[in-house]
Amino acid sequence: MHAIENNIKKLNLRIESACKQYQRNPSTVHLLAVSKTQPAESLANAYELGLRLFGENYVSEASEKMHRLPGDIEWHFIGPIQSNKSRFIAESFSWVHSVDRLKIARRLSEQRPNDLEPINCLIQVNISSEEQKAGISSENALTLAEEIMKLPQLTLRGFMAIPSPTQSLENLENDFANMGQLLRQLHTFCDTADTLSMGMSNDFELAIKHGATIIRVGTDLFGPRQQQK
Ligand SMILES: *Cc1c(COP(=O)(O)O)cnc(C)c1O
C-alpha cells in the first residue's frame, strides 16, 4: 500500500474516533491536505485517493502545481499574504485562511473576478503566541469581521488560528476553546460564519473537541516536508 494511502486511512480513523469521543458529526469536519513543499505527484496521489481540499502557503509554488492538477480541486491559501501577491490569490483560490488586515481584505475583494463566486475568507487570529506576527488579536477580530462583511467579493466564513506549538496542553486547549467562543460571537451577526480552521497533525483531536470544521494536516498525510522554501 502506498504511504499516502496508509496515512489517509490512519487520519480517517483518528478523525472518526475524535468525533465519536467529542460528539461531533464527522461530516462537519473537513480534512485540508496541506501540501506546501510537496511535489505535484504527491498531491495527485492524494487526489486519486479522494481528497479534494488542498492548502498551499506560497503563491509561486501553488501556481506551478495548480496547472498540473485536476480542475475540481478546492484550493485554500493558508500562508502569509503579501500585497503584491494578492491578485493571484484572488483569481485562483476558493478560500483564503490568512486575512488579518482590512487593506488585504479590500484588495482581495477588488481583485476577485466578478464572474467567480466571492472568495471564502477566514480571519486569522493570533490566539496565543507573543512572538507570532501573523494574525489579528482576538479583541480586534470582530471589528475586522464587520468591515469584511461589507466587501462584495468576499464571503466571511469564520476564523483560522495557529496556536503556539510549544505551550502546555492546558493552554493549547484554552486557545482552541477561545476560538470556539469567538466563532459563536461572530455567528450572532454573521449568518455565513460556520467555519473554524484549526488543528494540525499533532493536535487536531483537541481542535475537533472545540469545534474545528477544517483541520489542516501536512506531515501526517504527506510525510516530512521537502526542502523548505
Ligand atoms: C504547514 C502548515 C500546516 C500543517 O502542519 P503539520 O504539522 O505538518 O500538519 C497547517 N497549517 C498551516 C498554516 C501551515 O503552514
Side-chain angles (χ1 to χ4, degrees), residues 95-142:
W95 285 72
V96 49
H97 291 220
S98 40
V99 174
D100 61 2
R101 54 199 198 278
L102 187 56
K103 182 185 157 217
I104 288 290
R106 287 204 176 113
R107 284 177 75 94
L108 289 169
S109 183
E110 281 160 17
Q111 292 170 341
R112 180 71 166 175
N114 283 320
D115 59 334
L116 296 182
E117 297 276 296
I119 191 165
N120 293 293
C121 161
L122 301 176
I123 293 173
Q124 182 173 352
V125 179
N126 184 347
I127 192 73
S128 50
S129 63
E130 320 73 47
E131 75 271 19
Q132 207 172 58
K133 277 177 258 110
I136 190 169
S137 68
S138 48
E139 294 78 44
N140 294 326
L142 294 172

mmCIF file of all heavy atoms in Angstrom, residues 95-142:
data_model
loop_
_atom_site.group_PDB
_atom_site.id
_atom_site.type_symbol
_atom_site.label_atom_id
_atom_site.label_comp_id
_atom_site.label_asym_id
_atom_site.label_seq_id
_atom_site.Cartn_x
_atom_site.Cartn_y
_atom_site.Cartn_z
ATOM 1 N N TRP A 95 -10.652 29.617 -1.245
ATOM 2 C CA TRP A 95 -10.643 30.029 0.158
ATOM 3 C C TRP A 95 -9.319 30.730 0.478
ATOM 4 O O TRP A 95 -8.277 30.356 -0.049
ATOM 5 C CB TRP A 95 -10.720 28.805 1.090
ATOM 6 C CG TRP A 95 -12.061 28.151 1.194
ATOM 7 C CD1 TRP A 95 -12.683 27.392 0.242
ATOM 8 C CD2 TRP A 95 -12.934 28.163 2.340
ATOM 9 N NE1 TRP A 95 -13.889 26.932 0.728
ATOM 10 C CE2 TRP A 95 -14.065 27.377 2.008
ATOM 11 C CE3 TRP A 95 -12.862 28.743 3.612
ATOM 12 C CZ2 TRP A 95 -15.123 27.174 2.910
ATOM 13 C CZ3 TRP A 95 -13.907 28.538 4.503
ATOM 14 C CH2 TRP A 95 -15.021 27.765 4.137
ATOM 15 N N VAL A 96 -9.383 31.674 1.405
ATOM 16 C CA VAL A 96 -8.163 32.227 1.970
ATOM 17 C C VAL A 96 -8.328 32.269 3.494
ATOM 18 O O VAL A 96 -9.321 32.776 4.010
ATOM 19 C CB VAL A 96 -7.818 33.604 1.332
ATOM 20 C CG1 VAL A 96 -8.987 34.543 1.321
ATOM 21 C CG2 VAL A 96 -6.621 34.242 1.989
ATOM 22 N N HIS A 97 -7.367 31.635 4.194
ATOM 23 C CA HIS A 97 -7.483 31.464 5.660
ATOM 24 C C HIS A 97 -6.745 32.550 6.435
ATOM 25 O O HIS A 97 -6.837 32.579 7.654
ATOM 26 C CB HIS A 97 -6.863 30.129 6.096
ATOM 27 C CG HIS A 97 -7.601 28.908 5.659
ATOM 28 N ND1 HIS A 97 -7.757 27.809 6.480
ATOM 29 C CD2 HIS A 97 -8.218 28.583 4.497
ATOM 30 C CE1 HIS A 97 -8.427 26.858 5.835
ATOM 31 N NE2 HIS A 97 -8.715 27.299 4.621
ATOM 32 N N SER A 98 -5.934 33.341 5.766
ATOM 33 C CA SER A 98 -4.935 34.140 6.482
ATOM 34 C C SER A 98 -5.151 35.636 6.341
ATOM 35 O O SER A 98 -4.196 36.404 6.330
ATOM 36 C CB SER A 98 -3.548 33.746 5.963
ATOM 37 O OG SER A 98 -3.577 33.547 4.543
ATOM 38 N N VAL A 99 -6.396 36.072 6.289
ATOM 39 C CA VAL A 99 -6.681 37.506 6.216
ATOM 40 C C VAL A 99 -6.588 38.079 7.629
ATOM 41 O O VAL A 99 -7.264 37.602 8.541
ATOM 42 C CB VAL A 99 -8.086 37.754 5.624
ATOM 43 C CG1 VAL A 99 -8.429 39.239 5.690
ATOM 44 C CG2 VAL A 99 -8.149 37.242 4.191
ATOM 45 N N ASP A 100 -5.694 39.063 7.818
ATOM 46 C CA ASP A 100 -5.572 39.618 9.167
ATOM 47 C C ASP A 100 -5.562 41.142 9.178
ATOM 48 O O ASP A 100 -5.301 41.765 10.188
ATOM 49 C CB ASP A 100 -4.347 39.053 9.901
ATOM 50 C CG ASP A 100 -3.046 39.381 9.204
ATOM 51 O OD1 ASP A 100 -3.058 40.080 8.163
ATOM 52 O OD2 ASP A 100 -1.993 38.935 9.705
ATOM 53 N N ARG A 101 -5.825 41.752 8.012
ATOM 54 C CA ARG A 101 -5.953 43.209 7.993
ATOM 55 C C ARG A 101 -6.870 43.648 6.857
ATOM 56 O O ARG A 101 -6.993 42.975 5.839
ATOM 57 C CB ARG A 101 -4.595 43.903 7.945
ATOM 58 C CG ARG A 101 -3.698 43.456 6.816
ATOM 59 C CD ARG A 101 -2.239 43.845 7.160
ATOM 60 N NE ARG A 101 -1.392 43.825 5.970
ATOM 61 C CZ ARG A 101 -0.859 42.718 5.469
ATOM 62 N NH1 ARG A 101 -1.080 41.541 6.028
ATOM 63 N NH2 ARG A 101 -0.097 42.785 4.389
ATOM 64 N N LEU A 102 -7.491 44.809 7.093
ATOM 65 C CA LEU A 102 -8.514 45.281 6.166
ATOM 66 C C LEU A 102 -7.939 45.600 4.792
ATOM 67 O O LEU A 102 -8.578 45.347 3.769
ATOM 68 C CB LEU A 102 -9.206 46.518 6.770
ATOM 69 C CG LEU A 102 -10.420 47.042 6.000
ATOM 70 C CD1 LEU A 102 -11.474 45.960 5.807
ATOM 71 C CD2 LEU A 102 -11.010 48.250 6.721
ATOM 72 N N LYS A 103 -6.726 46.138 4.773
ATOM 73 C CA LYS A 103 -6.117 46.514 3.492
ATOM 74 C C LYS A 103 -6.058 45.308 2.545
ATOM 75 O O LYS A 103 -6.397 45.398 1.359
ATOM 76 C CB LYS A 103 -4.702 47.056 3.758
ATOM 77 C CG LYS A 103 -3.992 47.533 2.518
ATOM 78 C CD LYS A 103 -2.551 47.949 2.838
ATOM 79 C CE LYS A 103 -1.720 47.856 1.561
ATOM 80 N NZ LYS A 103 -0.360 47.384 1.787
ATOM 81 N N ILE A 104 -5.643 44.184 3.071
ATOM 82 C CA ILE A 104 -5.550 42.962 2.253
ATOM 83 C C ILE A 104 -6.951 42.468 1.866
ATOM 84 O O ILE A 104 -7.187 42.058 0.730
ATOM 85 C CB ILE A 104 -4.771 41.862 3.022
ATOM 86 C CG1 ILE A 104 -3.277 42.211 3.092
ATOM 87 C CG2 ILE A 104 -4.983 40.495 2.399
ATOM 88 C CD1 ILE A 104 -2.544 42.106 1.761
ATOM 89 N N ALA A 105 -7.869 42.542 2.805
ATOM 90 C CA ALA A 105 -9.242 42.099 2.508
ATOM 91 C C ALA A 105 -9.828 42.923 1.356
ATOM 92 O O ALA A 105 -10.439 42.379 0.433
ATOM 93 C CB ALA A 105 -10.112 42.230 3.754
ATOM 94 N N ARG A 106 -9.608 44.239 1.395
ATOM 95 C CA ARG A 106 -10.118 45.119 0.320
ATOM 96 C C ARG A 106 -9.500 44.767 -1.019
ATOM 97 O O ARG A 106 -10.178 44.711 -2.037
ATOM 98 C CB ARG A 106 -9.806 46.586 0.647
ATOM 99 C CG ARG A 106 -10.658 47.143 1.755
ATOM 100 C CD ARG A 106 -10.747 48.677 1.630
ATOM 101 N NE ARG A 106 -11.649 49.206 2.640
ATOM 102 C CZ ARG A 106 -11.253 49.972 3.662
ATOM 103 N NH1 ARG A 106 -9.979 50.323 3.783
ATOM 104 N NH2 ARG A 106 -12.133 50.397 4.538
ATOM 105 N N ARG A 107 -8.191 44.532 -1.010
ATOM 106 C CA ARG A 107 -7.530 44.161 -2.275
ATOM 107 C C ARG A 107 -8.102 42.867 -2.826
ATOM 108 O O ARG A 107 -8.370 42.752 -4.016
ATOM 109 C CB ARG A 107 -6.014 43.978 -2.063
ATOM 110 C CG ARG A 107 -5.237 45.257 -1.926
ATOM 111 C CD ARG A 107 -3.768 44.942 -1.658
ATOM 112 N NE ARG A 107 -3.068 44.487 -2.857
ATOM 113 C CZ ARG A 107 -2.388 45.294 -3.665
ATOM 114 N NH1 ARG A 107 -2.319 46.586 -3.415
ATOM 115 N NH2 ARG A 107 -1.766 44.803 -4.728
ATOM 116 N N LEU A 108 -8.267 41.888 -1.961
ATOM 117 C CA LEU A 108 -8.791 40.597 -2.424
ATOM 118 C C LEU A 108 -10.183 40.763 -3.024
ATOM 119 O O LEU A 108 -10.509 40.181 -4.063
ATOM 120 C CB LEU A 108 -8.827 39.586 -1.270
ATOM 121 C CG LEU A 108 -7.474 39.059 -0.773
ATOM 122 C CD1 LEU A 108 -7.644 38.288 0.536
ATOM 123 C CD2 LEU A 108 -6.799 38.176 -1.829
ATOM 124 N N SER A 109 -11.024 41.573 -2.388
ATOM 125 C CA SER A 109 -12.380 41.777 -2.897
ATOM 126 C C SER A 109 -12.342 42.494 -4.250
ATOM 127 O O SER A 109 -13.038 42.111 -5.192
ATOM 128 C CB SER A 109 -13.205 42.566 -1.892
ATOM 129 O OG SER A 109 -14.534 42.698 -2.350
ATOM 130 N N GLU A 110 -11.487 43.534 -4.350
ATOM 131 C CA GLU A 110 -11.380 44.271 -5.619
ATOM 132 C C GLU A 110 -10.825 43.400 -6.734
ATOM 133 O O GLU A 110 -11.224 43.522 -7.892
ATOM 134 C CB GLU A 110 -10.465 45.495 -5.443
ATOM 135 C CG GLU A 110 -11.159 46.666 -4.777
ATOM 136 C CD GLU A 110 -10.167 47.669 -4.179
ATOM 137 O OE1 GLU A 110 -8.961 47.636 -4.551
ATOM 138 O OE2 GLU A 110 -10.606 48.460 -3.322
ATOM 139 N N GLN A 111 -9.898 42.515 -6.376
ATOM 140 C CA GLN A 111 -9.206 41.734 -7.405
ATOM 141 C C GLN A 111 -9.917 40.422 -7.741
ATOM 142 O O GLN A 111 -9.560 39.760 -8.709
ATOM 143 C CB GLN A 111 -7.767 41.452 -6.937
ATOM 144 C CG GLN A 111 -6.924 42.722 -6.879
ATOM 145 C CD GLN A 111 -5.578 42.521 -6.206
ATOM 146 O OE1 GLN A 111 -5.373 41.551 -5.473
ATOM 147 N NE2 GLN A 111 -4.660 43.446 -6.441
ATOM 148 N N ARG A 112 -10.916 40.069 -6.951
ATOM 149 C CA ARG A 112 -11.651 38.841 -7.235
ATOM 150 C C ARG A 112 -12.477 39.051 -8.504
ATOM 151 O O ARG A 112 -13.344 39.929 -8.550
ATOM 152 C CB ARG A 112 -12.577 38.514 -6.064
ATOM 153 C CG ARG A 112 -13.407 37.236 -6.239
ATOM 154 C CD ARG A 112 -12.545 36.012 -6.147
ATOM 155 N NE ARG A 112 -13.315 34.777 -5.985
ATOM 156 C CZ ARG A 112 -12.752 33.570 -5.986
ATOM 157 N NH1 ARG A 112 -11.442 33.439 -6.144
ATOM 158 N NH2 ARG A 112 -13.485 32.494 -5.822
ATOM 159 N N PRO A 113 -12.256 38.242 -9.530
ATOM 160 C CA PRO A 113 -13.002 38.455 -10.775
ATOM 161 C C PRO A 113 -14.512 38.331 -10.538
ATOM 162 O O PRO A 113 -14.956 37.481 -9.765
ATOM 163 C CB PRO A 113 -12.498 37.324 -11.679
ATOM 164 C CG PRO A 113 -11.152 36.964 -11.127
ATOM 165 C CD PRO A 113 -11.271 37.164 -9.644
ATOM 166 N N ASN A 114 -15.279 39.184 -11.218
ATOM 167 C CA ASN A 114 -16.724 39.223 -10.995
ATOM 168 C C ASN A 114 -17.454 37.977 -11.475
ATOM 169 O O ASN A 114 -18.564 37.700 -11.031
ATOM 170 C CB ASN A 114 -17.331 40.465 -11.631
ATOM 171 C CG ASN A 114 -17.052 41.692 -10.790
ATOM 172 O OD1 ASN A 114 -17.113 41.630 -9.564
ATOM 173 N ND2 ASN A 114 -16.698 42.788 -11.432
ATOM 174 N N ASP A 115 -16.832 37.238 -12.387
ATOM 175 C CA ASP A 115 -17.502 36.023 -12.860
ATOM 176 C C ASP A 115 -17.230 34.829 -11.946
ATOM 177 O O ASP A 115 -17.708 33.731 -12.198
ATOM 178 C CB ASP A 115 -17.091 35.704 -14.308
ATOM 179 C CG ASP A 115 -15.593 35.506 -14.451
ATOM 180 O OD1 ASP A 115 -14.827 36.066 -13.626
ATOM 181 O OD2 ASP A 115 -15.183 34.790 -15.362
ATOM 182 N N LEU A 116 -16.469 35.027 -10.870
ATOM 183 C CA LEU A 116 -16.267 33.956 -9.883
ATOM 184 C C LEU A 116 -17.106 34.249 -8.648
ATOM 185 O O LEU A 116 -17.395 35.400 -8.335
ATOM 186 C CB LEU A 116 -14.799 33.865 -9.471
ATOM 187 C CG LEU A 116 -13.772 33.469 -10.535
ATOM 188 C CD1 LEU A 116 -12.374 33.378 -9.906
ATOM 189 C CD2 LEU A 116 -14.152 32.152 -11.196
ATOM 190 N N GLU A 117 -17.483 33.192 -7.938
ATOM 191 C CA GLU A 117 -18.135 33.350 -6.634
ATOM 192 C C GLU A 117 -17.226 34.179 -5.735
ATOM 193 O O GLU A 117 -15.996 34.117 -5.880
ATOM 194 C CB GLU A 117 -18.260 31.974 -5.960
ATOM 195 C CG GLU A 117 -19.115 30.979 -6.684
ATOM 196 C CD GLU A 117 -20.566 31.172 -6.327
ATOM 197 O OE1 GLU A 117 -20.914 30.992 -5.158
ATOM 198 O OE2 GLU A 117 -21.344 31.528 -7.243
ATOM 199 N N PRO A 118 -17.792 34.908 -4.772
ATOM 200 C CA PRO A 118 -16.927 35.592 -3.806
ATOM 201 C C PRO A 118 -15.962 34.586 -3.154
ATOM 202 O O PRO A 118 -16.303 33.419 -2.991
ATOM 203 C CB PRO A 118 -17.910 36.137 -2.777
ATOM 204 C CG PRO A 118 -19.202 36.272 -3.506
ATOM 205 C CD PRO A 118 -19.211 35.157 -4.515
ATOM 206 N N ILE A 119 -14.771 35.046 -2.837
ATOM 207 C CA ILE A 119 -13.791 34.148 -2.222
ATOM 208 C C ILE A 119 -14.171 33.931 -0.747
ATOM 209 O O ILE A 119 -14.596 34.871 -0.059
ATOM 210 C CB ILE A 119 -12.355 34.693 -2.406
ATOM 211 C CG1 ILE A 119 -11.296 33.662 -2.017
ATOM 212 C CG2 ILE A 119 -12.132 35.989 -1.648
ATOM 213 C CD1 ILE A 119 -9.895 34.010 -2.526
ATOM 214 N N ASN A 120 -14.102 32.691 -0.290
ATOM 215 C CA ASN A 120 -14.406 32.371 1.105
ATOM 216 C C ASN A 120 -13.244 32.805 1.973
ATOM 217 O O ASN A 120 -12.102 32.429 1.715
ATOM 218 C CB ASN A 120 -14.640 30.869 1.260
ATOM 219 C CG ASN A 120 -15.882 30.427 0.553
ATOM 220 O OD1 ASN A 120 -16.985 30.788 0.938
ATOM 221 N ND2 ASN A 120 -15.714 29.643 -0.516
ATOM 222 N N CYS A 121 -13.543 33.565 3.003
ATOM 223 C CA CYS A 121 -12.484 34.224 3.743
ATOM 224 C C CYS A 121 -12.563 33.893 5.230
ATOM 225 O O CYS A 121 -13.633 33.865 5.829
ATOM 226 C CB CYS A 121 -12.668 35.715 3.476
ATOM 227 S SG CYS A 121 -11.895 36.800 4.616
ATOM 228 N N LEU A 122 -11.402 33.585 5.792
ATOM 229 C CA LEU A 122 -11.277 33.386 7.237
ATOM 230 C C LEU A 122 -10.333 34.451 7.786
ATOM 231 O O LEU A 122 -9.342 34.793 7.141
ATOM 232 C CB LEU A 122 -10.702 31.996 7.556
ATOM 233 C CG LEU A 122 -11.490 30.788 7.053
ATOM 234 C CD1 LEU A 122 -10.733 29.490 7.376
ATOM 235 C CD2 LEU A 122 -12.887 30.749 7.663
ATOM 236 N N ILE A 123 -10.654 34.957 8.949
ATOM 237 C CA ILE A 123 -9.772 35.905 9.622
ATOM 238 C C ILE A 123 -8.798 35.112 10.494
ATOM 239 O O ILE A 123 -9.214 34.291 11.315
ATOM 240 C CB ILE A 123 -10.589 36.883 10.502
ATOM 241 C CG1 ILE A 123 -11.454 37.777 9.605
ATOM 242 C CG2 ILE A 123 -9.657 37.709 11.372
ATOM 243 C CD1 ILE A 123 -12.418 38.661 10.384
ATOM 244 N N GLN A 124 -7.507 35.356 10.277
ATOM 245 C CA GLN A 124 -6.503 34.663 11.094
ATOM 246 C C GLN A 124 -6.338 35.405 12.413
ATOM 247 O O GLN A 124 -6.027 36.593 12.447
ATOM 248 C CB GLN A 124 -5.161 34.571 10.363
ATOM 249 C CG GLN A 124 -4.113 33.816 11.184
ATOM 250 C CD GLN A 124 -2.821 33.556 10.430
ATOM 251 O OE1 GLN A 124 -2.721 33.811 9.226
ATOM 252 N NE2 GLN A 124 -1.822 33.055 11.140
ATOM 253 N N VAL A 125 -6.546 34.689 13.501
ATOM 254 C CA VAL A 125 -6.463 35.266 14.838
ATOM 255 C C VAL A 125 -5.168 34.817 15.498
ATOM 256 O O VAL A 125 -4.822 33.636 15.491
ATOM 257 C CB VAL A 125 -7.680 34.828 15.686
ATOM 258 C CG1 VAL A 125 -7.583 35.396 17.092
ATOM 259 C CG2 VAL A 125 -8.979 35.257 15.026
ATOM 260 N N ASN A 126 -4.449 35.799 16.046
ATOM 261 C CA ASN A 126 -3.220 35.491 16.781
ATOM 262 C C ASN A 126 -3.628 35.133 18.207
ATOM 263 O O ASN A 126 -3.774 35.993 19.060
ATOM 264 C CB ASN A 126 -2.305 36.714 16.753
ATOM 265 C CG ASN A 126 -0.976 36.436 17.408
ATOM 266 O OD1 ASN A 126 -0.792 35.433 18.085
ATOM 267 N ND2 ASN A 126 -0.035 37.338 17.208
ATOM 268 N N ILE A 127 -3.811 33.850 18.428
ATOM 269 C CA ILE A 127 -4.504 33.426 19.640
ATOM 270 C C ILE A 127 -3.574 33.265 20.841
ATOM 271 O O ILE A 127 -3.935 33.547 21.955
ATOM 272 C CB ILE A 127 -5.321 32.135 19.371
ATOM 273 C CG1 ILE A 127 -6.284 31.834 20.508
ATOM 274 C CG2 ILE A 127 -4.437 30.946 19.059
ATOM 275 C CD1 ILE A 127 -7.461 32.726 20.576
ATOM 276 N N SER A 128 -2.352 32.830 20.615
ATOM 277 C CA SER A 128 -1.546 32.544 21.798
ATOM 278 C C SER A 128 -0.175 33.177 21.860
ATOM 279 O O SER A 128 0.243 33.672 22.896
ATOM 280 C CB SER A 128 -1.399 31.033 21.985
ATOM 281 O OG SER A 128 -0.981 30.419 20.791
ATOM 282 N N SER A 129 0.557 33.184 20.768
ATOM 283 C CA SER A 129 1.979 33.436 20.968
ATOM 284 C C SER A 129 2.347 34.879 20.695
ATOM 285 O O SER A 129 1.976 35.468 19.691
ATOM 286 C CB SER A 129 2.790 32.503 20.088
ATOM 287 O OG SER A 129 2.505 32.768 18.748
ATOM 288 N N GLU A 130 3.087 35.435 21.618
ATOM 289 C CA GLU A 130 3.541 36.818 21.506
ATOM 290 C C GLU A 130 4.499 36.948 20.333
ATOM 291 O O GLU A 130 4.522 37.946 19.635
ATOM 292 C CB GLU A 130 4.282 37.257 22.770
ATOM 293 C CG GLU A 130 3.681 36.771 24.089
ATOM 294 C CD GLU A 130 3.914 35.287 24.339
ATOM 295 O OE1 GLU A 130 5.067 34.839 24.157
ATOM 296 O OE2 GLU A 130 2.959 34.569 24.686
ATOM 297 N N GLU A 131 5.315 35.910 20.124
ATOM 298 C CA GLU A 131 6.363 36.006 19.098
ATOM 299 C C GLU A 131 5.808 35.910 17.682
ATOM 300 O O GLU A 131 6.468 36.220 16.717
ATOM 301 C CB GLU A 131 7.440 34.928 19.316
ATOM 302 C CG GLU A 131 7.054 33.512 18.933
ATOM 303 C CD GLU A 131 6.400 32.740 20.078
ATOM 304 O OE1 GLU A 131 5.929 33.387 21.040
ATOM 305 O OE2 GLU A 131 6.386 31.506 20.011
ATOM 306 N N GLN A 132 4.541 35.480 17.580
ATOM 307 C CA GLN A 132 3.935 35.296 16.270
ATOM 308 C C GLN A 132 3.516 36.648 15.690
ATOM 309 O O GLN A 132 2.924 37.458 16.369
ATOM 310 C CB GLN A 132 2.695 34.431 16.444
ATOM 311 C CG GLN A 132 2.322 33.630 15.236
ATOM 312 C CD GLN A 132 1.196 32.667 15.590
ATOM 313 O OE1 GLN A 132 0.136 33.087 16.038
ATOM 314 N NE2 GLN A 132 1.420 31.388 15.393
ATOM 315 N N LYS A 133 3.832 36.868 14.426
ATOM 316 C CA LYS A 133 3.478 38.156 13.827
ATOM 317 C C LYS A 133 2.142 38.089 13.090
ATOM 318 O O LYS A 133 1.408 39.053 13.049
ATOM 319 C CB LYS A 133 4.591 38.629 12.887
ATOM 320 C CG LYS A 133 5.725 39.328 13.636
ATOM 321 C CD LYS A 133 6.849 39.727 12.693
ATOM 322 C CE LYS A 133 8.018 38.771 12.771
ATOM 323 N NZ LYS A 133 8.292 37.907 11.678
ATOM 324 N N ALA A 134 1.852 36.942 12.518
ATOM 325 C CA ALA A 134 0.628 36.849 11.703
ATOM 326 C C ALA A 134 -0.606 36.779 12.595
ATOM 327 O O ALA A 134 -0.571 36.239 13.692
ATOM 328 C CB ALA A 134 0.695 35.614 10.814
ATOM 329 N N GLY A 135 -1.686 37.354 12.107
ATOM 330 C CA GLY A 135 -2.947 37.242 12.814
ATOM 331 C C GLY A 135 -3.292 38.508 13.581
ATOM 332 O O GLY A 135 -2.423 39.224 14.076
ATOM 333 N N ILE A 136 -4.599 38.764 13.683
ATOM 334 C CA ILE A 136 -5.085 39.922 14.429
ATOM 335 C C ILE A 136 -5.421 39.442 15.845
ATOM 336 O O ILE A 136 -5.712 38.262 16.061
ATOM 337 C CB ILE A 136 -6.317 40.528 13.716
ATOM 338 C CG1 ILE A 136 -6.719 41.868 14.319
ATOM 339 C CG2 ILE A 136 -7.502 39.542 13.710
ATOM 340 C CD1 ILE A 136 -7.760 42.620 13.483
ATOM 341 N N SER A 137 -5.377 40.346 16.815
ATOM 342 C CA SER A 137 -5.711 39.948 18.186
ATOM 343 C C SER A 137 -7.189 39.574 18.261
ATOM 344 O O SER A 137 -8.005 40.075 17.482
ATOM 345 C CB SER A 137 -5.427 41.096 19.150
ATOM 346 O OG SER A 137 -6.336 42.149 18.895
ATOM 347 N N SER A 138 -7.531 38.710 19.209
ATOM 348 C CA SER A 138 -8.944 38.317 19.291
ATOM 349 C C SER A 138 -9.822 39.519 19.684
ATOM 350 O O SER A 138 -10.985 39.581 19.311
ATOM 351 C CB SER A 138 -9.137 37.138 20.246
ATOM 352 O OG SER A 138 -8.462 37.369 21.440
ATOM 353 N N GLU A 139 -9.244 40.500 20.401
ATOM 354 C CA GLU A 139 -10.021 41.699 20.763
ATOM 355 C C GLU A 139 -10.477 42.456 19.511
ATOM 356 O O GLU A 139 -11.551 43.049 19.487
ATOM 357 C CB GLU A 139 -9.192 42.671 21.621
ATOM 358 C CG GLU A 139 -8.814 42.160 23.000
ATOM 359 C CD GLU A 139 -7.653 41.177 22.948
ATOM 360 O OE1 GLU A 139 -6.673 41.453 22.222
ATOM 361 O OE2 GLU A 139 -7.736 40.116 23.596
ATOM 362 N N ASN A 140 -9.628 42.457 18.485
ATOM 363 C CA ASN A 140 -9.949 43.253 17.291
ATOM 364 C C ASN A 140 -10.581 42.443 16.159
ATOM 365 O O ASN A 140 -10.946 42.998 15.130
ATOM 366 C CB ASN A 140 -8.674 43.936 16.768
ATOM 367 C CG ASN A 140 -8.154 44.969 17.759
ATOM 368 O OD1 ASN A 140 -8.941 45.622 18.450
ATOM 369 N ND2 ASN A 140 -6.849 45.099 17.850
ATOM 370 N N ALA A 141 -10.702 41.140 16.359
ATOM 371 C CA ALA A 141 -11.149 40.278 15.259
ATOM 372 C C ALA A 141 -12.594 40.575 14.830
ATOM 373 O O ALA A 141 -12.908 40.560 13.638
ATOM 374 C CB ALA A 141 -10.999 38.810 15.657
ATOM 375 N N LEU A 142 -13.456 40.866 15.791
ATOM 376 C CA LEU A 142 -14.866 41.074 15.430
ATOM 377 C C LEU A 142 -15.077 42.410 14.709
ATOM 378 O O LEU A 142 -15.945 42.535 13.853
ATOM 379 C CB LEU A 142 -15.760 40.961 16.667
ATOM 380 C CG LEU A 142 -15.801 39.550 17.282
ATOM 381 C CD1 LEU A 142 -16.561 39.568 18.616
ATOM 382 C CD2 LEU A 142 -16.426 38.536 16.340
#
